Amino acid sequence: MSIFGSFEIGRKALRAQQKGMDVSGQNVANANTPGYSRQRVDLAAVVPPAVAGVSMSPGNGVVVNDILRVRSEFYYTQLLNTTSHKAYWEMRRETFLGAEVIFMEPQEYGINQYLGDFFDTWNELSSSPESMAVRMGLREQAVSLASLSRDVYLRLQDLKINLQDELTMRVSEVNRLAGVLSELNDQARFVSALGQKSNELLDQIDLALEELSLLVDIRVNHKANGTVEVFAGGRLLVQEEHNFPIKLKYDQEVDRWQLVSYSGSPLALSSGRMFGLLDAVNKDIPSLQGELDRIVENLVTEVNRIHRSGFGLDGETGNDFFKEIADNGIPASLQFAVHDSILENAGLIAAASRADEPGNGENALAVARLRDARMDGLDGSSVIDYYRGFISALGVEGRESERMTQAYHTAESQLREKHLSIAGVSLDEEMLNMIQYQHAWNAAARYLSYVDQMLATLFHELGR
């Protein structure tokens, strides 16, 4: 190697160590930047060419092969999946917590308490069938029970509507993120066409993917040019610089909301907040409303059946206590109301089993015994037992969603910690790297100084 070749070695060394210092500075600058993956300089010794008749030189210096983005694809993929499942269970937990607040159980203002008071008042009427005060108290208790049932149903409906509104908003958010990814893909493809790459651009893509995984379960294919191909619920969402928006569709045939792709194919979701929203809107809340309707319908049917066989203070019989539940498409809970005739005259409450028999409260006692009577329409349970079982099942679902949320939260924290242990910036490590690059740069500069002195000595000797 000539003495001028030695200058080239020194020049390459200075550039390589300077690049390493720049990379460490970039890592330190982004130590707290969300989604940033630390970078590392990939240095390699330059292999000298083999020339016949020329002795092999010790080398031609150093070259920067690449600036690598340090990360673990395995942990990152697992993190996306876990984050998506955690978002699903968080949504279910919010749904059941909201429902539990609406039912207000176990509290003195819940339906269970009002049902108990309703049957207690019938029992009291059986002991004092002529008392107008007790009759009016029973009427008001029945009005309160019906009003509370309607209120619970409507509040559940409000919760459902709010979740539908959020579902619409989340659809727009998914489409926005798909647009962001398509733009980032376009930039990555352009950079790749120039023979370069941008690690920061790839970090932005990963950050958008993580945000998207909170909403829907995604499958990602990474391309050699840095772009990503994204599938949501098994349907194509992003490809190169193109994105294919999803839509929210109501299927009247099955009475369900669906997420469909740009071509109209339904998305087969298995996790993500939007899957939880769909479950809440299509299954969970309608199921709660359906159970409430079932309880109301059976209560009205059985109370009216016994009431029609009894006699009021005026000796009349065959009257209903509640309004009949009509098969007109209106939920039973919203039709739940005391009959108009009872509202106008509490004396028509049929407490007696026979007409014109003072002190007869046998019919009122028969209604009171419905508290423990098994009803075929409630799977052989009494109305109070069935309601309590229904509320217990709601509590079990809430606790299960809480448990699963905590489990996935713990798993996500562990995976994120492992991922950050690889991809995250360690300030201590970067400080050591900067010291190493500084010393190496100083040594390379000193090396060039020595070579310069050698060259000066050579010219001096040649000039003598």
Side-chain angles (χ1 to χ4, degrees), residues 335-359:
Q335 298 185 55
F336 192 22
V338 177
H339 200 278
D340 292 338
S341 61
I342 302 297
L343 291 176
E344 294 173 1
N345 182 9
L348 295 179
I349 297 176
S353 59
R354 289 177 294 277
D356 302 324
E357 189 172 306

mmCIF file with all atom_site columns, all heavy atoms in Angstrom, residues 335-359:
data_model
loop_
_atom_site.group_PDB
_atom_site.id
_atom_site.type_symbol
_atom_site.label_atom_id
_atom_site.label_alt_id
_atom_site.label_comp_id
_atom_site.label_asym_id
_atom_site.label_entity_id
_atom_site.label_seq_id
_atom_site.pdbx_PDB_ins_code
_atom_site.Cartn_x
_atom_site.Cartn_y
_atom_site.Cartn_z
_atom_site.occupancy
_atom_site.B_iso_or_equiv
_atom_site.pdbx_formal_charge
_atom_site.auth_seq_id
_atom_site.auth_comp_id
_atom_site.auth_asym_id
_atom_site.auth_atom_id
_atom_site.pdbx_PDB_model_num
ATOM 1   N N   . GLN A 1 335 ? -93.998  -1.797  26.915 1.00 0.00 ? 335 GLN A N   1
ATOM 2   C CA  . GLN A 1 335 ? -95.457  -1.890  27.032 1.00 0.00 ? 335 GLN A CA  1
ATOM 3   C C   . GLN A 1 335 ? -95.899  -2.127  28.478 1.00 0.00 ? 335 GLN A C   1
ATOM 4   O O   . GLN A 1 335 ? -97.094  -2.121  28.772 1.00 0.00 ? 335 GLN A O   1
ATOM 5   C CB  . GLN A 1 335 ? -95.985  -3.041  26.169 1.00 0.00 ? 335 GLN A CB  1
ATOM 6   C CG  . GLN A 1 335 ? -95.718  -2.892  24.684 1.00 0.00 ? 335 GLN A CG  1
ATOM 7   C CD  . GLN A 1 335 ? -96.371  -4.014  23.882 1.00 0.00 ? 335 GLN A CD  1
ATOM 8   O OE1 . GLN A 1 335 ? -97.585  -4.251  23.989 1.00 0.00 ? 335 GLN A OE1 1
ATOM 9   N NE2 . GLN A 1 335 ? -95.577  -4.713  23.087 1.00 0.00 ? 335 GLN A NE2 1
ATOM 10  N N   . PHE A 1 336 ? -94.913  -2.346  29.349 1.00 0.00 ? 336 PHE A N   1
ATOM 11  C CA  . PHE A 1 336 ? -95.203  -2.681  30.746 1.00 0.00 ? 336 PHE A CA  1
ATOM 12  C C   . PHE A 1 336 ? -95.865  -1.490  31.440 1.00 0.00 ? 336 PHE A C   1
ATOM 13  O O   . PHE A 1 336 ? -95.239  -0.445  31.644 1.00 0.00 ? 336 PHE A O   1
ATOM 14  C CB  . PHE A 1 336 ? -93.896  -3.055  31.431 1.00 0.00 ? 336 PHE A CB  1
ATOM 15  C CG  . PHE A 1 336 ? -94.067  -3.697  32.783 1.00 0.00 ? 336 PHE A CG  1
ATOM 16  C CD1 . PHE A 1 336 ? -95.255  -4.321  33.153 1.00 0.00 ? 336 PHE A CD1 1
ATOM 17  C CD2 . PHE A 1 336 ? -93.017  -3.671  33.702 1.00 0.00 ? 336 PHE A CD2 1
ATOM 18  C CE1 . PHE A 1 336 ? -95.401  -4.910  34.398 1.00 0.00 ? 336 PHE A CE1 1
ATOM 19  C CE2 . PHE A 1 336 ? -93.146  -4.255  34.943 1.00 0.00 ? 336 PHE A CE2 1
ATOM 20  C CZ  . PHE A 1 336 ? -94.338  -4.881  35.297 1.00 0.00 ? 336 PHE A CZ  1
ATOM 21  N N   . ALA A 1 337 ? -97.138  -1.658  31.821 1.00 0.00 ? 337 ALA A N   1
ATOM 22  C CA  . ALA A 1 337 ? -97.873  -0.564  32.466 1.00 0.00 ? 337 ALA A CA  1
ATOM 23  C C   . ALA A 1 337 ? -99.095  -1.127  33.187 1.00 0.00 ? 337 ALA A C   1
ATOM 24  O O   . ALA A 1 337 ? -99.643  -2.171  32.810 1.00 0.00 ? 337 ALA A O   1
ATOM 25  C CB  . ALA A 1 337 ? -98.310  0.474   31.432 1.00 0.00 ? 337 ALA A CB  1
ATOM 26  N N   . VAL A 1 338 ? -99.503  -0.439  34.227 1.00 0.00 ? 338 VAL A N   1
ATOM 27  C CA  . VAL A 1 338 ? -100.720 -0.809  34.952 1.00 0.00 ? 338 VAL A CA  1
ATOM 28  C C   . VAL A 1 338 ? -101.929 -0.477  34.082 1.00 0.00 ? 338 VAL A C   1
ATOM 29  O O   . VAL A 1 338 ? -101.937 0.538   33.370 1.00 0.00 ? 338 VAL A O   1
ATOM 30  C CB  . VAL A 1 338 ? -100.792 -0.061  36.296 1.00 0.00 ? 338 VAL A CB  1
ATOM 31  C CG1 . VAL A 1 338 ? -102.085 -0.385  37.034 1.00 0.00 ? 338 VAL A CG1 1
ATOM 32  C CG2 . VAL A 1 338 ? -99.582  -0.413  37.158 1.00 0.00 ? 338 VAL A CG2 1
ATOM 33  N N   . HIS A 1 339 ? -102.949 -1.335  34.130 1.00 0.00 ? 339 HIS A N   1
ATOM 34  C CA  . HIS A 1 339 ? -104.142 -1.134  33.310 1.00 0.00 ? 339 HIS A CA  1
ATOM 35  C C   . HIS A 1 339 ? -104.827 0.186   33.672 1.00 0.00 ? 339 HIS A C   1
ATOM 36  O O   . HIS A 1 339 ? -104.832 0.614   34.831 1.00 0.00 ? 339 HIS A O   1
ATOM 37  C CB  . HIS A 1 339 ? -105.119 -2.300  33.522 1.00 0.00 ? 339 HIS A CB  1
ATOM 38  C CG  . HIS A 1 339 ? -106.109 -2.444  32.411 1.00 0.00 ? 339 HIS A CG  1
ATOM 39  N ND1 . HIS A 1 339 ? -107.264 -1.678  32.334 1.00 0.00 ? 339 HIS A ND1 1
ATOM 40  C CD2 . HIS A 1 339 ? -106.116 -3.248  31.316 1.00 0.00 ? 339 HIS A CD2 1
ATOM 41  C CE1 . HIS A 1 339 ? -107.938 -2.023  31.262 1.00 0.00 ? 339 HIS A CE1 1
ATOM 42  N NE2 . HIS A 1 339 ? -107.267 -2.985  30.609 1.00 0.00 ? 339 HIS A NE2 1
ATOM 43  N N   . ASP A 1 340 ? -105.384 0.832   32.655 1.00 0.00 ? 340 ASP A N   1
ATOM 44  C CA  . ASP A 1 340 ? -106.009 2.145   32.850 1.00 0.00 ? 340 ASP A CA  1
ATOM 45  C C   . ASP A 1 340 ? -107.130 2.101   33.879 1.00 0.00 ? 340 ASP A C   1
ATOM 46  O O   . ASP A 1 340 ? -107.310 3.045   34.663 1.00 0.00 ? 340 ASP A O   1
ATOM 47  C CB  . ASP A 1 340 ? -106.556 2.661   31.517 1.00 0.00 ? 340 ASP A CB  1
ATOM 48  C CG  . ASP A 1 340 ? -105.437 2.998   30.528 1.00 0.00 ? 340 ASP A CG  1
ATOM 49  O OD1 . ASP A 1 340 ? -104.307 3.224   30.989 1.00 0.00 ? 340 ASP A OD1 1
ATOM 50  O OD2 . ASP A 1 340 ? -105.711 3.034   29.311 1.00 0.00 ? 340 ASP A OD2 1
ATOM 51  N N   . SER A 1 341 ? -107.899 1.025   33.885 1.00 0.00 ? 341 SER A N   1
ATOM 52  C CA  . SER A 1 341 ? -109.020 0.933   34.824 1.00 0.00 ? 341 SER A CA  1
ATOM 53  C C   . SER A 1 341 ? -108.524 0.899   36.271 1.00 0.00 ? 341 SER A C   1
ATOM 54  O O   . SER A 1 341 ? -109.159 1.487   37.162 1.00 0.00 ? 341 SER A O   1
ATOM 55  C CB  . SER A 1 341 ? -109.865 -0.313  34.525 1.00 0.00 ? 341 SER A CB  1
ATOM 56  O OG  . SER A 1 341 ? -109.068 -1.489  34.665 1.00 0.00 ? 341 SER A OG  1
ATOM 57  N N   . ILE A 1 342 ? -107.398 0.232   36.504 1.00 0.00 ? 342 ILE A N   1
ATOM 58  C CA  . ILE A 1 342 ? -106.821 0.175   37.859 1.00 0.00 ? 342 ILE A CA  1
ATOM 59  C C   . ILE A 1 342 ? -106.274 1.534   38.243 1.00 0.00 ? 342 ILE A C   1
ATOM 60  O O   . ILE A 1 342 ? -106.361 1.959   39.402 1.00 0.00 ? 342 ILE A O   1
ATOM 61  C CB  . ILE A 1 342 ? -105.723 -0.901  37.930 1.00 0.00 ? 342 ILE A CB  1
ATOM 62  C CG1 . ILE A 1 342 ? -106.289 -2.275  37.548 1.00 0.00 ? 342 ILE A CG1 1
ATOM 63  C CG2 . ILE A 1 342 ? -105.090 -0.950  39.315 1.00 0.00 ? 342 ILE A CG2 1
ATOM 64  C CD1 . ILE A 1 342 ? -107.351 -2.786  38.484 1.00 0.00 ? 342 ILE A CD1 1
ATOM 65  N N   . LEU A 1 343 ? -105.707 2.248   37.268 1.00 0.00 ? 343 LEU A N   1
ATOM 66  C CA  . LEU A 1 343 ? -105.189 3.581   37.553 1.00 0.00 ? 343 LEU A CA  1
ATOM 67  C C   . LEU A 1 343 ? -106.308 4.533   37.940 1.00 0.00 ? 343 LEU A C   1
ATOM 68  O O   . LEU A 1 343 ? -106.124 5.424   38.792 1.00 0.00 ? 343 LEU A O   1
ATOM 69  C CB  . LEU A 1 343 ? -104.447 4.124   36.320 1.00 0.00 ? 343 LEU A CB  1
ATOM 70  C CG  . LEU A 1 343 ? -103.121 3.439   35.953 1.00 0.00 ? 343 LEU A CG  1
ATOM 71  C CD1 . LEU A 1 343 ? -102.570 4.024   34.661 1.00 0.00 ? 343 LEU A CD1 1
ATOM 72  C CD2 . LEU A 1 343 ? -102.105 3.595   37.083 1.00 0.00 ? 343 LEU A CD2 1
ATOM 73  N N   . GLU A 1 344 ? -107.476 4.349   37.331 1.00 0.00 ? 344 GLU A N   1
ATOM 74  C CA  . GLU A 1 344 ? -108.617 5.230   37.630 1.00 0.00 ? 344 GLU A CA  1
ATOM 75  C C   . GLU A 1 344 ? -109.311 4.858   38.930 1.00 0.00 ? 344 GLU A C   1
ATOM 76  O O   . GLU A 1 344 ? -109.803 5.727   39.653 1.00 0.00 ? 344 GLU A O   1
ATOM 77  C CB  . GLU A 1 344 ? -109.614 5.170   36.473 1.00 0.00 ? 344 GLU A CB  1
ATOM 78  C CG  . GLU A 1 344 ? -109.068 5.744   35.173 1.00 0.00 ? 344 GLU A CG  1
ATOM 79  C CD  . GLU A 1 344 ? -110.020 5.520   34.005 1.00 0.00 ? 344 GLU A CD  1
ATOM 80  O OE1 . GLU A 1 344 ? -111.105 4.921   34.246 1.00 0.00 ? 344 GLU A OE1 1
ATOM 81  O OE2 . GLU A 1 344 ? -109.680 5.913   32.878 1.00 0.00 ? 344 GLU A OE2 1
ATOM 82  N N   . ASN A 1 345 ? -109.337 3.570   39.246 1.00 0.00 ? 345 ASN A N   1
ATOM 83  C CA  . ASN A 1 345 ? -110.082 3.125   40.435 1.00 0.00 ? 345 ASN A CA  1
ATOM 84  C C   . ASN A 1 345 ? -109.362 1.930   41.064 1.00 0.00 ? 345 ASN A C   1
ATOM 85  O O   . ASN A 1 345 ? -109.411 0.819   40.536 1.00 0.00 ? 345 ASN A O   1
ATOM 86  C CB  . ASN A 1 345 ? -111.507 2.733   40.045 1.00 0.00 ? 345 ASN A CB  1
ATOM 87  C CG  . ASN A 1 345 ? -112.341 2.309   41.236 1.00 0.00 ? 345 ASN A CG  1
ATOM 88  O OD1 . ASN A 1 345 ? -111.922 2.456   42.399 1.00 0.00 ? 345 ASN A OD1 1
ATOM 89  N ND2 . ASN A 1 345 ? -113.520 1.775   40.972 1.00 0.00 ? 345 ASN A ND2 1
ATOM 90  N N   . ALA A 1 346 ? -108.680 2.171   42.189 1.00 0.00 ? 346 ALA A N   1
ATOM 91  C CA  . ALA A 1 346 ? -107.957 1.091   42.872 1.00 0.00 ? 346 ALA A CA  1
ATOM 92  C C   . ALA A 1 346 ? -108.908 0.054   43.450 1.00 0.00 ? 346 ALA A C   1
ATOM 93  O O   . ALA A 1 346 ? -108.498 -1.062  43.781 1.00 0.00 ? 346 ALA A O   1
ATOM 94  C CB  . ALA A 1 346 ? -107.080 1.671   43.978 1.00 0.00 ? 346 ALA A CB  1
ATOM 95  N N   . GLY A 1 347 ? -110.181 0.394   43.566 1.00 0.00 ? 347 GLY A N   1
ATOM 96  C CA  . GLY A 1 347 ? -111.151 -0.565  44.075 1.00 0.00 ? 347 GLY A CA  1
ATOM 97  C C   . GLY A 1 347 ? -111.359 -1.738  43.142 1.00 0.00 ? 347 GLY A C   1
ATOM 98  O O   . GLY A 1 347 ? -111.898 -2.767  43.541 1.00 0.00 ? 347 GLY A O   1
ATOM 99  N N   . LEU A 1 348 ? -110.946 -1.617  41.878 1.00 0.00 ? 348 LEU A N   1
ATOM 100 C CA  . LEU A 1 348 ? -111.107 -2.716  40.921 1.00 0.00 ? 348 LEU A CA  1
ATOM 101 C C   . LEU A 1 348 ? -110.038 -3.787  41.072 1.00 0.00 ? 348 LEU A C   1
ATOM 102 O O   . LEU A 1 348 ? -110.100 -4.819  40.390 1.00 0.00 ? 348 LEU A O   1
ATOM 103 C CB  . LEU A 1 348 ? -111.063 -2.157  39.493 1.00 0.00 ? 348 LEU A CB  1
ATOM 104 C CG  . LEU A 1 348 ? -112.209 -1.221  39.090 1.00 0.00 ? 348 LEU A CG  1
ATOM 105 C CD1 . LEU A 1 348 ? -112.026 -0.735  37.664 1.00 0.00 ? 348 LEU A CD1 1
ATOM 106 C CD2 . LEU A 1 348 ? -113.551 -1.932  39.236 1.00 0.00 ? 348 LEU A CD2 1
ATOM 107 N N   . ILE A 1 349 ? -109.052 -3.549  41.947 1.00 0.00 ? 349 ILE A N   1
ATOM 108 C CA  . ILE A 1 349 ? -108.031 -4.581  42.165 1.00 0.00 ? 349 ILE A CA  1
ATOM 109 C C   . ILE A 1 349 ? -108.704 -5.804  42.752 1.00 0.00 ? 349 ILE A C   1
ATOM 110 O O   . ILE A 1 349 ? -109.366 -5.746  43.795 1.00 0.00 ? 349 ILE A O   1
ATOM 111 C CB  . ILE A 1 349 ? -106.922 -4.069  43.115 1.00 0.00 ? 349 ILE A CB  1
ATOM 112 C CG1 . ILE A 1 349 ? -106.192 -2.883  42.485 1.00 0.00 ? 349 ILE A CG1 1
ATOM 113 C CG2 . ILE A 1 349 ? -105.943 -5.180  43.446 1.00 0.00 ? 349 ILE A CG2 1
ATOM 114 C CD1 . ILE A 1 349 ? -105.145 -2.262  43.380 1.00 0.00 ? 349 ILE A CD1 1
ATOM 115 N N   . ALA A 1 350 ? -108.552 -6.934  42.078 1.00 0.00 ? 350 ALA A N   1
ATOM 116 C CA  . ALA A 1 350 ? -109.283 -8.159  42.437 1.00 0.00 ? 350 ALA A CA  1
ATOM 117 C C   . ALA A 1 350 ? -108.557 -8.888  43.556 1.00 0.00 ? 350 ALA A C   1
ATOM 118 O O   . ALA A 1 350 ? -107.788 -9.822  43.312 1.00 0.00 ? 350 ALA A O   1
ATOM 119 C CB  . ALA A 1 350 ? -109.456 -9.054  41.222 1.00 0.00 ? 350 ALA A CB  1
ATOM 120 N N   . ALA A 1 351 ? -108.820 -8.499  44.810 1.00 0.00 ? 351 ALA A N   1
ATOM 121 C CA  . ALA A 1 351 ? -108.172 -9.137  45.951 1.00 0.00 ? 351 ALA A CA  1
ATOM 122 C C   . ALA A 1 351 ? -108.935 -10.364 46.435 1.00 0.00 ? 351 ALA A C   1
ATOM 123 O O   . ALA A 1 351 ? -108.357 -11.263 47.045 1.00 0.00 ? 351 ALA A O   1
ATOM 124 C CB  . ALA A 1 351 ? -108.027 -8.133  47.098 1.00 0.00 ? 351 ALA A CB  1
ATOM 125 N N   . ALA A 1 352 ? -110.267 -10.417 46.174 1.00 0.00 ? 352 ALA A N   1
ATOM 126 C CA  . ALA A 1 352 ? -111.109 -11.505 46.696 1.00 0.00 ? 352 ALA A CA  1
ATOM 127 C C   . ALA A 1 352 ? -111.242 -12.631 45.685 1.00 0.00 ? 352 ALA A C   1
ATOM 128 O O   . ALA A 1 352 ? -111.171 -12.413 44.472 1.00 0.00 ? 352 ALA A O   1
ATOM 129 C CB  . ALA A 1 352 ? -112.484 -10.956 47.067 1.00 0.00 ? 352 ALA A CB  1
ATOM 130 N N   . SER A 1 353 ? -111.436 -13.837 46.214 1.00 0.00 ? 353 SER A N   1
ATOM 131 C CA  . SER A 1 353 ? -111.658 -14.987 45.331 1.00 0.00 ? 353 SER A CA  1
ATOM 132 C C   . SER A 1 353 ? -113.139 -15.201 45.052 1.00 0.00 ? 353 SER A C   1
ATOM 133 O O   . SER A 1 353 ? -113.507 -15.961 44.157 1.00 0.00 ? 353 SER A O   1
ATOM 134 C CB  . SER A 1 353 ? -111.081 -16.251 45.973 1.00 0.00 ? 353 SER A CB  1
ATOM 135 O OG  . SER A 1 353 ? -111.696 -16.492 47.245 1.00 0.00 ? 353 SER A OG  1
ATOM 136 N N   . ARG A 1 354 ? -113.994 -14.516 45.841 1.00 0.00 ? 354 ARG A N   1
ATOM 137 C CA  . ARG A 1 354 ? -115.435 -14.600 45.636 1.00 0.00 ? 354 ARG A CA  1
ATOM 138 C C   . ARG A 1 354 ? -116.027 -13.213 45.808 1.00 0.00 ? 354 ARG A C   1
ATOM 139 O O   . ARG A 1 354 ? -115.506 -12.385 46.576 1.00 0.00 ? 354 ARG A O   1
ATOM 140 C CB  . ARG A 1 354 ? -116.079 -15.573 46.640 1.00 0.00 ? 354 ARG A CB  1
ATOM 141 C CG  . ARG A 1 354 ? -115.729 -17.045 46.354 1.00 0.00 ? 354 ARG A CG  1
ATOM 142 C CD  . ARG A 1 354 ? -116.318 -17.968 47.408 1.00 0.00 ? 354 ARG A CD  1
ATOM 143 N NE  . ARG A 1 354 ? -115.706 -17.740 48.722 1.00 0.00 ? 354 ARG A NE  1
ATOM 144 C CZ  . ARG A 1 354 ? -114.548 -18.284 49.102 1.00 0.00 ? 354 ARG A CZ  1
ATOM 145 N NH1 . ARG A 1 354 ? -113.881 -19.058 48.277 1.00 0.00 ? 354 ARG A NH1 1
ATOM 146 N NH2 . ARG A 1 354 ? -114.076 -18.029 50.307 1.00 0.00 ? 354 ARG A NH2 1
ATOM 147 N N   . ALA A 1 355 ? -117.165 -12.991 45.142 1.00 0.00 ? 355 ALA A N   1
ATOM 148 C CA  . ALA A 1 355 ? -117.798 -11.666 45.185 1.00 0.00 ? 355 ALA A CA  1
ATOM 149 C C   . ALA A 1 355 ? -118.562 -11.464 46.493 1.00 0.00 ? 355 ALA A C   1
ATOM 150 O O   . ALA A 1 355 ? -119.054 -12.428 47.097 1.00 0.00 ? 355 ALA A O   1
ATOM 151 C CB  . ALA A 1 355 ? -118.730 -11.511 43.982 1.00 0.00 ? 355 ALA A CB  1
ATOM 152 N N   . ASP A 1 356 ? -118.628 -10.183 46.861 1.00 0.00 ? 356 ASP A N   1
ATOM 153 C CA  . ASP A 1 356 ? -119.440 -9.783  48.012 1.00 0.00 ? 356 ASP A CA  1
ATOM 154 C C   . ASP A 1 356 ? -119.099 -10.579 49.264 1.00 0.00 ? 356 ASP A C   1
ATOM 155 O O   . ASP A 1 356 ? -119.983 -11.074 49.982 1.00 0.00 ? 356 ASP A O   1
ATOM 156 C CB  . ASP A 1 356 ? -120.943 -9.919  47.694 1.00 0.00 ? 356 ASP A CB  1
ATOM 157 C CG  . ASP A 1 356 ? -121.331 -9.083  46.489 1.00 0.00 ? 356 ASP A CG  1
ATOM 158 O OD1 . ASP A 1 356 ? -120.749 -7.972  46.337 1.00 0.00 ? 356 ASP A OD1 1
ATOM 159 O OD2 . ASP A 1 356 ? -122.182 -9.517  45.698 1.00 0.00 ? 356 ASP A OD2 1
ATOM 160 N N   . GLU A 1 357 ? -117.820 -10.745 49.509 1.00 0.00 ? 357 GLU A N   1
ATOM 161 C CA  . GLU A 1 357 ? -117.381 -11.464 50.708 1.00 0.00 ? 357 GLU A CA  1
ATOM 162 C C   . GLU A 1 357 ? -116.327 -10.623 51.418 1.00 0.00 ? 357 GLU A C   1
ATOM 163 O O   . GLU A 1 357 ? -115.138 -10.704 51.108 1.00 0.00 ? 357 GLU A O   1
ATOM 164 C CB  . GLU A 1 357 ? -116.812 -12.838 50.337 1.00 0.00 ? 357 GLU A CB  1
ATOM 165 C CG  . GLU A 1 357 ? -116.540 -13.708 51.563 1.00 0.00 ? 357 GLU A CG  1
ATOM 166 C CD  . GLU A 1 357 ? -116.150 -15.133 51.163 1.00 0.00 ? 357 GLU A CD  1
ATOM 167 O OE1 . GLU A 1 357 ? -116.911 -15.766 50.395 1.00 0.00 ? 357 GLU A OE1 1
ATOM 168 O OE2 . GLU A 1 357 ? -115.084 -15.574 51.603 1.00 0.00 ? 357 GLU A OE2 1
ATOM 169 N N   . PRO A 1 358 ? -116.759 -9.771  52.353 1.00 0.00 ? 358 PRO A N   1
ATOM 170 C CA  . PRO A 1 358 ? -115.805 -8.891  53.047 1.00 0.00 ? 358 PRO A CA  1
ATOM 171 C C   . PRO A 1 358 ? -114.701 -9.692  53.738 1.00 0.00 ? 358 PRO A C   1
ATOM 172 O O   . PRO A 1 358 ? -114.954 -10.756 54.299 1.00 0.00 ? 358 PRO A O   1
ATOM 173 C CB  . PRO A 1 358 ? -116.690 -8.157  54.066 1.00 0.00 ? 358 PRO A CB  1
ATOM 174 C CG  . PRO A 1 358 ? -118.072 -8.240  53.512 1.00 0.00 ? 358 PRO A CG  1
ATOM 175 C CD  . PRO A 1 358 ? -118.156 -9.552  52.811 1.00 0.00 ? 358 PRO A CD  1
ATOM 176 N N   . GLY A 1 359 ? -113.489 -9.134  53.683 1.00 0.00 ? 359 GLY A N   1
ATOM 177 C CA  . GLY A 1 359 ? -112.344 -9.775  54.326 1.00 0.00 ? 359 GLY A CA  1
ATOM 178 C C   . GLY A 1 359 ? -111.694 -10.872 53.505 1.00 0.00 ? 359 GLY A C   1
ATOM 179 O O   . GLY A 1 359 ? -110.699 -11.467 53.935 1.00 0.00 ? 359 GLY A O   1
#
